[in-house]
Amino acid sequence: MSIETDATNNAGPQTLTMGKGMKRKEDPRFLTGNGNYVDDMRLPGMLYMAIVHSPYPHANIKGIDKEAALAVPGVKAVITGEDLVAASLAWLPTFHGFDKQMVLAVGKVLFQHQEVAAVFAETREAARDAAELVDVDYEPLDPVISPFDSMKDEVILRDDREDKTNHIYHWDSGDKDGTQAALDDSEVVVTERIYAPRCHPAPLEPCGCVAQFDAMGRLHFWVTSQAPHVYRTAISLVTGIPEDKIRVISPDIGGGFGNKVPVYPGYVCAIVGALILKTPVKWIETRTENLTTTGFARDYHMDVTIGAKKDGTVTALKVKTVADHGAFDAAADPSKYPAGMFGVVTGSYQFPVAFAELDAYFTNKAPGGVAYRCSFRVTEASYAIERGMDILAQKLTMDPAELRRKNFVRKDQFPYDSALGFTYDSGDYEGTMDKALNQIGYADLRREQAEKRARGEYMGIGISTFTEVVGAGPSKHFDILGIKMFDSAEIRIHPTGTGIIRTGTKSQGQGHETTWAQIVAEELGLDPQNLLVEEGDTDTAPYGLGTYASRSTPVAGAALALAARRVREKARKVAAHLLEAAPEDIEWVEHKFQVMGAPSRSVTMKEVAFAAYTNPGEGVEPGLEASLYYDPPNMTFPHGAYIAVVDVDAETGEVKVRRFLAIDDCGTVINPMIVEGQVHGGLTEGFAIAFMQEIPYDEQGNNMAPNFMEYLIPTSVEAPVWETGSTVTPSPHHPIGAKGVGESPNVGSPAAFVNAVMDALAPLGVTHIDMPLTREKVWRAIRDAQAAAASD
Amino acid sequence: MTATETTDTTLRTVTLNVNGQTIRQEVESRTLLAYALRDAGLKGTHVGCDTSSCGCCVVLLDGDTPAKSCTMFAVQAEGHQITTVEGLGSPGDLHPLQQAFWDQHGLQCGYCTPGMLMTAKAMLEHNPDPTDQEVREFLSGNLCRCTGYNNIVKAVQQAARVMRDEAQAQALAGMVPSTPEGGAQ
């Protein structure tokens, strides 16, 4: 991807940057320590809150003694679940509405590190001291750790629920009988249990908030939220405070990655503390609290079965999944989609028939599931099908690229109705894969691999040709808490031709302050440097559903373009007045209004903006602004072709990623520099997930990766050098043809890494190893395969 | 046992020299340097973990020694010259490293950026012409969740080039005696 940076400040169309690598407007403050993150907030009289966590995964609470904690100098209050019961705040509804989550434990704890009490003190140190002195009397109970044990219902975890079962829900999609019949008739059938392990998005900035009630009784709530407007509504519903009396502000956020979508107990406790103590309260969690209590990702056990003809033509797909949701079902999904977009599991291929089903269970673990660039479970779906296709290729001894080519949805078949009910908007899968194969020199790599195999060396090439589904979503299908998943934009142009743009999304580093200005600048012929972008303040920004699941560009990006066109239509009337012509005779050419057939008679948007306030013309409303709420007609379906090349050391199990190429197609590109940065970051997450990250629990229910000593984040040394590129297949239904892309690299890359390692080990007969592919796991698989071969 | 028996919460005054300014602050013995700096309003220094792993809190001691300020008590910093990101450059007067991170898109959410910049500055003090691998190794105490590091490496290399050129220009200027008529060009 070649990148052209352009940060000139000259007004006028020549500075338009749509499609160019305009440098980011947000950077100067971040580079100089002038960002404004939640923990930077300081208010007079502000108290600090610390949370008491359960050491047990499952235990009755027989009593809580606050006395020693309250005796610590500076401590103002200690609240427990019983205190919240009295205020009807002990439980928190989860976003999809199937379940609720304890704020502070009532009666019993259901996962290790669960929130049990909250302490308020004048200093953060005093709050922590006191939290250690809250004396909780626990009666340990048998924990349920595996969802496969949970489904036996021998120990019922949630006696607060009507149904006395650990089963949360069953979901399915597709033609069950038809799929089974097709599999029975298939010449070749492969099946594998594929586990997407529990991991965690771990944004560098943990979650936190500051709650303040002002003298008018109005709640001001600064919070690490990817969806501040939904938070405002949720807080209103939970606390009964009217929505106009709540101002939620998401300031600069130090990364989200889906971790900052759910409402967490700490937020509710801070609001309660600020209310009862009548002074501001700050809560900033530690890294350990972040990893042990906030939204995890994945934890899907997927039985993947693919039927095919001997020539490799796929005939049917069946996927049966067991999902581990932890103690409460707080998975942040649209309400009609308990398993998210898992139905996209047929991937980029023409499956004539398919069936996917999923059962979710409670366990004694932290809640979550949907997070970490997953696009609502697309990471799991993509991993399942891309692994499955490679297992099929191995069984058929067919080149994995050729197996994919044979089965791709063809360019001329879009819009394509998948067997599980999605209508893919556009794609050129073969073109994108061919670009990747050529760019990486696939044929040469296969030759090199053959030579190395002959020498007993293990080199692997892994391909992942995935289809994403992002931009939730059409109001017919998608809502959070009942609120339809539209998004919004307001554009106000000032008399001097500068302007302010606000959307209902919320950047956590994805560069909206820059790219939103680029979209509007292109539509209006104004200077992007002088279009201020704001998000996150619910008093000022239009209502939106927030930023997650790569929905910002598909939904708010569309709202921005269309709102800008409304501004332009209004401006056309003013231009007509200035040019003394009828509005229908005014055309928008090269970012200027001109009289049709008379190009010398033209005005710029800047001139029109001034006139809109000084001389708008008879009967034209003064001012120049518009707002728009966009209900998308469909999702966008970006795709990509990723190729990993690895070398495996059979003596140690060490995997070295020699090369990684990612070709992404997200339709029209707003800012290639920012897209490339998104891809680099997401690939690094995918690399971490493939090789090092897991939140395992031991048999006693202890979280075994509660901090950065155990839960590994790649450093600059481990992270591979990324090669990137793009093809452009615009979304036909999107106003500027753009698709989301932020999560594609995480959705697409884990399978490429694992496929590469399995390809390397194919001569040993190794078919599948579950992530993370740690050195030890790879070494054991090699050793076991060699032992099996020796005993034959 | 109570907290007051186990912990000395007595406040004492610490005098910190930060970015050439003297800051006097009331702290406990156990107050971490990162929090003392942040409480003094220098909020560019961030805290991203509790195991000294992430490096969001890196500041420089005495010009060229990077230190994770979450792993030092404020009282230990007394007598040292501390440089934080606020001392590196300002929005209108960016340090070459800040400019390079901007040019090369070496940041996204911006949370790791201050620590990353300070570590990079320390590295270039010790090694003005590093290889990419040397940059990666020196920065391996600083985690980033957004960028995947590639652009950070590019940024550090850009800054290294600029700083080498500046150093060379200065050295050349030093060889030519300045004259009252306008000096060396």
Side-chain angles (χ1 to χ4, degrees), chain A residues 504-665:
Chain A
T505 45
K506 175 59 205 165
S507 181
Q508 316 116 45
Q510 300 94 329
H512 294 176
E513 283 176 53
T514 302
T515 51
W516 289 171
Q518 288 179 273
I519 292 174
V520 175
E522 171 69 20
E523 294 290 336
L524 297 181
L526 292 171
D527 183 353
Q529 296 299 336
N530 286 321
L531 294 169
L532 176 70
V533 175
E534 284 185 357
E535 299 173 303
D537 183 338
T538 58
D539 267 12
T540 56
Y543 202 107
L545 275 284
T547 291
Y548 42 84
S550 303
R551 66 186 300 280
S552 297
T553 292
V555 195
L560 272 166
L562 294 178
R565 289 172 199 174
R566 277 191 186 168
V567 170
R568 204 164 71 202
E569 282 316 297
K570 161 70 185 294
R572 182 191 303 277
K573 292 181 195 163
V574 179
H577 167 66
L578 292 179
L579 294 166
E580 297 175 330
E584 53 273 21
D585 291 336
I586 301 294
E587 54 183 356
W588 178 253
V589 181
E590 290 175 357
H591 304 99
K592 276 190 293 215
F593 289 112
Q594 69 180 44
V595 178
M596 232 174 264
S600 60
R601 293 175 61 204
S602 68
V603 282
T604 64
M605 187 62 80
K606 196 172 171 178
E607 291 164 330
V608 169
F610 194 68
Y613 291 84
T614 58
N615 177 23
E618 190 116 358
V620 177
E621 183 187 343
L624 191 57
E625 62 182 78
S627 68
L628 190 137
Y629 283 58
Y630 184 75
D631 179 3
N634 190 5
M635 312 283 277
T636 67
F637 296 75
H639 66 277
Y642 291 179
I643 303 177
V645 183
V646 303
D647 295 304
V648 181
D649 183 333
E651 299 297 314
T652 64
E654 183 181 18
V655 177
K656 190 166 165 34
V657 176
R658 199 201 308 169
R659 289 182 70 187
F660 193 100
L661 170 66
I663 305 290
D664 276 282
D665 188 326

Side-chain angles (χ1 to χ4, degrees), chain A residues 53-119:
Chain A
H53 296 276
S54 170
Y56 293 101
H58 195 198
N60 286 321
I61 296 175
K62 295 167 75 182
I64 300 178
D65 185 350
K66 306 175 181 179
E67 205 175 315
L70 286 167
V72 173
V75 170
K76 298 292 183 189
V78 177
I79 60 170
T80 66
E82 295 303 327
D83 299 325
L84 294 179
V85 168
S88 300
L89 289 171
W91 294 83
L92 179 67
T94 55
F95 272 175
H96 54 44
F98 309 129
D99 198 16
K100 54 185 182 171
Q101 176 178 357
M102 283 181 194
V103 174
L104 293 173
V106 180
K108 63 179 194 168
V109 290
L110 288 161
F111 67 94
Q112 191 189 42
H113 298 282
Q114 188 182 339
E115 301 84 354
V116 175
V119 177

Side-chain angles (χ1 to χ4, degrees), chain A residues 23-24 31 37 288 714 716, chain B residues 50 98 103 108-109 136 149:
Chain A
K23 280 162 54 180
R24 298 203 322 166
L31 287 163
Y37 303 88
T288 301
S716 42
Chain B
D50 47 14
Q98 292 168 315
D103 292 344
Q108 292 180 30
C109 82
R136 285 177 179 269
Y149 302 106

Side-chain angles (χ1 to χ4, degrees), chain A residues 343-358:
Chain A
V344 77
V345 68
T346 54
S348 304
Y349 315 105
Q350 297 185 53
F351 280 95
V353 64
F355 180 67
E357 65 180 321
L358 180 145

